[in-house]
Amino acid sequence: MPIPLQIVFQGGGAKLCALMAVCSVLEEHERDNRIVVNRVAGSSAGAIAAVMFASSRSTEEYKDRLKKIAPRYLADLKGGFFGFKRVIWEGEPFFGSFSLTDFFRDLFCHDNTSPKLLNELRIETQVYATNIYSLAAQPAAPSDPIPTALSHSCRIPYAFAGFNSDNHLVDGGLALNLPVDHMRDNASELGHVLGISFLSKFPERSKFASLLAYTGQLFNAAVQSNVNRSRALLGEANVFAIATSIDTFDFDEALDEGLGDKFDLVRHQFASWFEAWLRHHHPAPQPPNAYVYPVLNNSPFPGPVVEELREHYRSDKFTYALSMTSYDAAILRENGSFTGKYLSRFRNRYRVMRKTHILSFDFQTGKTEATFSDFKLRVMAIDAQAQPLKFATHVQELQATDNLRSFRLYLLFESALTPSTAHQPFTVDCAYEVDDPFPNLSTGSEILSFTRADGDADEITVVAAFPRELLRKNPKNTDISTLTQDALKSANFVMDTEMVSSEAMEPGDYISEMGLTSGTDKYIFAVRRAKNIKQGQTMGLMIE
């Protein structure tokens, strides 16, 4: 069953681009039927993000829409300090020629298929403004037009509202910039409340060189006070705080890097945080007896059949991987000494792109005389509702290399997997115990790699926990795509595929999945992740 949630977004002007990155991750989890968001709320830019998410359009569509229409409005957001003093003295908004209502109508209601009122959105959406007379946060009425509700929520005093105005509603962030209070009502029915916030920045005193800068900081102080209160109500563990260099009025940068590289960075940071949150608060259900324990087949496929199947799957894209993670954890005794064995595991989440009855996976063990049953190989395939898929297995040993034994595991599904098969994505989880696959660790370097064989992937992560006793004090963990051919050769690594770059990750979110047998201080962790991997590309790390 999908996990019910409520999401509340903090305001931040041009930082909307970062909130949109969070929305894109939430959309993906909704499509995968892992979560259902029942209510959203926000003030100012947070209200814009809430409406975006609650509409039926994707974040990618809104990115394109913003890039198209925003440049027409940015010319009205220019001015200098002396102009600022003049217009505010006269009681007019500094950006008086900028129509918030027109902008939001152009963004959200530009065609006949778009919702026009808040209560026409797909989920309940609370948009907050500040009532300047009551000094309280005031939610828009469900029947309010979306452009009107958002224009009230985003009316930053002096910038978009002057004292001559007869409109008593101004920017919602002044009273409640992270409006969580009513979100906790009916939480038992609507779901846990998660806050999307921003890390605070504290300027140097020298920056108060003008009335504008000083006034801005006064507003920040008031806003941050109510944000801190809201975060305390939710609990810090339920708040994702975004670190961004984009300031409230950095609209040019927001449209450029904010919807480019910085968007991707926030997206991956939130995805990692959210996966950890889901694992902690809502562990994935596991059906009983889901594992299948394959045996080595005593009638292996002939070599030409193995090669034919291999080429068949490399010639087309049968699956699209949302995530692929491989784990290798040294099995240690209680005192931290190495047993000479590793627990290896991979956990992959797929969507099917082309009809198939077969999925195959390669795995390796150390050059050992152990019997196949000693590896304790186990595998399961489940759908998005944690129900097992029906399959048979076929395992056969491939030609050995100098230091490793290689095996190929086939999952043979009774019913074909197709793009329309219900309850995707599917998860394949496989684990086994092997003699040391990194025999040169104590004397040289070892490489841990992963090649995407039968389709593209959003991301691939390799995670390793090496025995500390076998490594020097400060071992190096290097992206293999940066290595020279000589360095690769010295590690006995031969690869004829394209290598892609990866980023180093902290091990914290992965430790609980590794099955460690001793304290974390007895291990050296190495984690690298690559994103947007194409079929046939390889990523990985070298440890030395």
Side-chain angles (χ1 to χ4, degrees), residues 314 447 449-451 480 485 488 492-499 536-539:
R314 289 193 171 185
I447 285 180
S449 66
F450 196 116
T451 300
I480 60 171
Q485 288 299 316
L488 294 171
N492 297 316
F493 185 77
V494 178
M495 181 59 63
D496 57 1
T497 61
E498 177 187 2
M499 288 187 285
Q537 291 182 329
T538 298
M539 58 80 65

Side-chain angles (χ1 to χ4, degrees), residues 383-458:
D383 64 19
Q385 296 186 344
Q387 294 305 306
L389 304 177
K390 294 181 179 180
F391 63 91
T393 61
H394 177 99
V395 186
Q396 66 185 69
E397 188 163 1
L398 306 177
Q399 184 175 356
T401 63
D402 290 340
N403 297 315
L404 300 171
R405 293 172 67 185
S406 295
F407 297 85
R408 184 159 295 159
L409 165 65
Y410 295 95
L411 305 189
L412 310 174
F413 293 88
E414 295 183 11
S415 299
L417 304 180
T418 73
S420 61
T421 303
H423 308 312
Q424 298 192 44
F426 302 132
T427 298
V428 175
D429 193 309
C430 181
Y432 46 96
E433 295 180 13
V434 296
D435 284 348
D436 189 4
F438 308 106
N440 300 317
L441 197 61
S442 60
T443 57
S445 56
E446 286 281 3
I447 285 180
L448 175 60
S449 66
F450 196 116
T451 300
R452 180 66 175 121
D454 58 353
D456 300 338
D458 276 347

Side-chain angles (χ1 to χ4, degrees), residues 479-544:
D479 176 5
I480 60 171
S481 72
T482 66
L483 298 176
T484 65
Q485 288 299 316
D486 287 343
L488 294 171
K489 186 176 180 180
S490 67
N492 297 316
F493 185 77
V494 178
M495 181 59 63
D496 57 1
T497 61
E498 177 187 2
M499 288 187 285
V500 295
S501 62
S502 62
E503 59 180 335
M505 306 292 294
E506 293 298 323
D509 291 342
Y510 304 96
I511 287 176
S512 63
E513 302 287 335
M514 301 187 73
L516 301 183
T517 56
S518 188
T520 55
D521 61 320
K522 303 299 183 182
Y523 295 91
I524 294 293
F525 296 97
V527 184
R528 298 201 75 90
R529 181 178 66 189
K531 57 185 181 180
N532 300 323
I533 303 94
K534 303 302 180 184
Q535 182 176 17
Q537 291 182 329
T538 298
M539 58 80 65
L541 62 89
M542 182 172 76
I543 186 81
E544 57 181 338

Side-chain angles (χ1 to χ4, degrees), residues 213-262:
Y214 183 65
T215 302
Q217 188 60 14
L218 289 177
F219 281 126
N220 287 339
V223 168
Q224 192 58 44
S225 177
N226 70 59
V227 168
N228 291 343
R229 169 188 169 277
S230 295
R231 291 174 63 155
L233 288 174
L234 286 182
E236 289 296 326
N238 299 312
V239 179
F240 176 69
I242 301 169
T244 178
S245 60
I246 295 176
D247 288 327
T248 302
F249 291 102
D250 285 346
F251 294 105
D252 288 318
E253 184 179 358
L255 286 173
D256 184 16
E257 293 186 22
L259 294 179
D261 291 344
K262 291 183 178 180

Side-chain angles (χ1 to χ4, degrees), residues 96 135 141 178 184 201 214 227-228 240 252 274 289 308 324 368 373 386 403 406 425 438 466 474 478 515:
L135 304 181
L178 189 63
R184 296 183 300 159
K201 292 192 296 185
Y214 183 65
V227 168
N228 291 343
F240 176 69
D252 288 318
F274 193 40
N289 303 317
E308 181 70 20
M324 308 184 78
T368 174
S373 62
N403 297 315
S406 295
F438 308 106
F466 299 107
N474 295 304
T478 307

